[in-house]
Amino acid sequence: ARQRLLDAFETVNNNFADLFKRLFNGGQAELRLIESDDPLEAGLEIMASPPGKKLASMSLMSGGEQALTATALIFAVFMANPAPVCVLDEVDAPLDDANVERFCRLLHEMAQETETRFVIITHHALTMSRMNRLFGVTMIERGVSQLVSVDLNKAEQLAAAE
Amino acid sequence: ARQRLLDAFETVNNNFADLFKRLFNGGQAELRLIESDDPLEAGLEIMASPPGKKLASMSLMSGGEQALTATALIFAVFMANPAPVCVLDEVDAPLDDANVERFCRLLHEMAQETETRFVIITHHALTMSRMNRLFGVTMIERGVSQLVSVDLNKAEQLAAAE
Amino acid sequence: VKFTNVRLVGFKSFVEPTDFEIREGLTGIVGPNGCGKSNLLEALRWVMGATSAKALRGDGMEAVIFAGTSMRPSRNWAEVILSLDNSDRSAPAEYNEHDTLEISRRIIRKEEGTQSVYRINQKEVRAKDVQLLFADASSGANSPALVRQGQISELISAKPQNRRRLLEEAA
Amino acid sequence: VKFTNVRLVGFKSFVEPTDFEIREGLTGIVGPNGCGKSNLLEALRWVMGATSAKALRGDGMEAVIFAGTSMRPSRNWAEVILSLDNSDRSAPAEYNEHDTLEISRRIIRKEEGTQSVYRINQKEVRAKDVQLLFADASSGANSPALVRQGQISELISAKPQNRRRLLEEAA
Ligand SMILES: Nc1ncnc2c1ncn2[C@@H]1O[C@H](COP(=O)(O)OP(=O)(O)OP(=O)(O)O)[C@@H](O)[C@H]1O
Ligand SMILES: Nc1ncnc2c1ncn2[C@@H]1O[C@H](COP(=O)(O)OP(=O)(O)OP(=O)(O)O)[C@@H](O)[C@H]1O
Ligand SMILES: [Mg+2]
Ligand SMILES: [Mg+2]
């Protein structure tokens, strides 16, 4: 079990370093096992530096940088053993447009590599425009949800309307 | 001290009920002291129902509804004793356009009632368009921040650029 | 296996039978605050055997049954049916002869409490059987592939010890 | 009193002296991820006497000094100066004869550690004096009026006991 965790750590760490670079367009990141020599007892520390900045603990990064780094970590674990479906609920909320752009490009690349079907819940107009299709959820009758197909052009109206 | 907390609770609860209605365009909300008869030992429970929905604990609401309700609570405490400056760092991140619209309208009303100066950090294009002025923060030289005045029309470009 | 459809009947705000198709590539889900988007993800995790009350909002399994509105009465049962395409025959042995797998979970409110009934291709099974089915596909209700709203923030503020558990999912 | 300006010198990513004007009504602050917006709020809380390491990102007071980049060397001091307009004469007695109040906090990295020096109108005071000054104006570094990024989420997931402390700020 200890060896399996170390192997998993190895794989995930390599994925993480690569995915971070793709999401940040450079920079570097790595995982570290801390607080114990025994991997089954250790803690997971995340060190990262966006391009042009110093390597430091993730806790010193900005809100959006932390979210993008944590997303890279979740994807790193996912890519170690890709599931047939992946659902992301508003992970792009704190990201600016440039980061959302790279996030969506990475989603397309992962979808091609793994054949995983992705479901992305979002309020971000830019994310909507990068999807293959959109479903809208509405409550025309109060308290009752309905699912409808959405024209990619009508998307922004739906997200804004009541 | 016990009486002061109860008086504060009374004021904040009334503010909260009113601010919630203004942010949700209806519905109702209230605070409850729970887990102890002694207010100095009690916990603060938040009950709320958006228009057309049942009154329930805040923990059953959607992500955006919870954020808007928590914002109403913070404003309720603020209005009990308005400070000369109020800074809000990305509190509008999980809100849709309709809620952002009401959030900004409430900010204008509070600014007039209290003469407080508000500073709103945001990524939301709609929020930017409702401000009296915009300052942009940029890192033209990597790792070095600069503050610049932003033309309200150029706003969206800045938020999106790298 | 490929996930193809999630059907919700009386699950939370989806009181009317609703088919949520899962198609190839990237599907975006949009709509105003509180309209039901996260409820879709919860329905998927619920039918896959999610049991942790913390990860499913609500103080108990009953919280998933449509609670009624001022215009509609509450219900006393809820069901979610997940359809899987097994044409690549990658399902576990005992279900692998079928082209389609249908996993359903129904909860019924009775006087003595609520009861969840699980079925795979109409045959009643235990919760454990459903959880194991997805564990084989490395895609259980708690898999890293299903990222709940706010889970990214939780990961950022988590103690290093708790973050390490994420690795254990991959091991 | 009215807050009119926050001047940052060598504070985190604001290595060049920067004047952040606080004007009437609603001022929006915009920019890409990581460009320094939250650092502005931290500078304000820091000069008002914030001491909790948890609420100021970083493992110690030194974390606020510009740490250098590949193109610029690090610094060994940082300063924030807050200007207040006191024409309504609502300041505490000992400072109330002045039209303007200037509160400054400077931190210097020395061999034996770092040291914060506080001044009000050029006169050196203790941290406590600055904290009390703002307590009178019900707007301390921990006042509900200064909402940090992620603080709304913290309030939502807080235990009821911790939420009650918010009320104590108002009492
Ligand atoms: N058992 C139930 N019966 C009826 N309605 C319910 C039930 N449980 C939850 N709801 C409703 O579902 C709504 C929450 O939906 P959901 O969390 O999916 O919203 P959302 O679209 O994700 O919103 P956001 O963008 O704010 O995250 C709540 O407003 C609540 O009233
Ligand atoms: N002591 C320091 N010296 C130099 N740079 C620093 C220092 N402390 C923090 N920074 C830099 O400041 C940046 C964080 O800025 P900040 O948190 O204000 O970003 P932000 O604009 O709020 O972004 P977001 O929109 O993602 O919240 C980090 O990228 C970090 O590199
Ligand atoms: Mg949601
Ligand atoms: Mg920030």
Side-chain angles (χ1 to χ4, degrees), chain A residues 52-54 59-66 94-97 99, chain D residues 31-35 38 57-59 63 67-70 74 149:
Chain A
K53 295 179 181 177
K54 301 199 155 202
S59 53
L60 296 180
M61 298 172 96
S62 82
E65 291 171 336
Q66 287 176 338
L95 304 181
D96 63 37
D97 284 13
N99 281 327
Chain D
N33 293 132
C35 67
S38 299
R57 288 168 294 171
D59 38 13
T69 65
S70 48
S74 67
Q149 196 167 357

Side-chain angles (χ1 to χ4, degrees), chain A residues 89-90 121-123 137 139 143-145, chain B residues 50 52-54 56 60-67 94-96 99, chain C residues 10-15 29-42 57 62-69 74 149:
Chain A
D89 195 345
E90 293 191 27
I121 300 172
T122 184
H123 284 291
V137 186
M139 270 189 172
V144 173
S145 296
Chain B
K53 295 179 179 175
K54 301 199 157 204
L60 296 180
M61 300 172 94
S62 81
E65 291 170 336
Q66 288 176 338
L95 304 181
D96 62 36
N99 281 326
Chain C
F11 183 91
K12 296 208 166 189
S13 54
F14 286 89
V15 58
I29 308 279
V30 301
N33 293 133
C35 66
K37 307 180 295 297
S38 298
N39 289 344
L40 286 174
L41 171 56
E42 286 189 328
R57 287 168 295 171
E62 268 193 56
V64 310
I65 301 175
F66 177 71
T69 65
S74 66
Q149 196 167 356

Side-chain angles (χ1 to χ4, degrees), chain D residues 141-158:
Chain D
N142 297 321
S143 104
L146 304 177
V147 183
R148 294 172 284 110
Q149 196 167 357
Q151 197 172 338
I152 293 276
S153 307
E154 287 172 19
L155 186 60
I156 293 166
S157 52

Side-chain angles (χ1 to χ4, degrees), chain B residues 28 32 52 57 59 63 84-85 108 113 116 131 139 148 152:
Chain B
Q28 66 171 90
R32 289 182 192 167
S57 158
S59 52
V85 74
H108 278 290
E113 276 175 58
T116 298
M131 297 291 105
M139 271 190 172
V148 297
L152 270 154

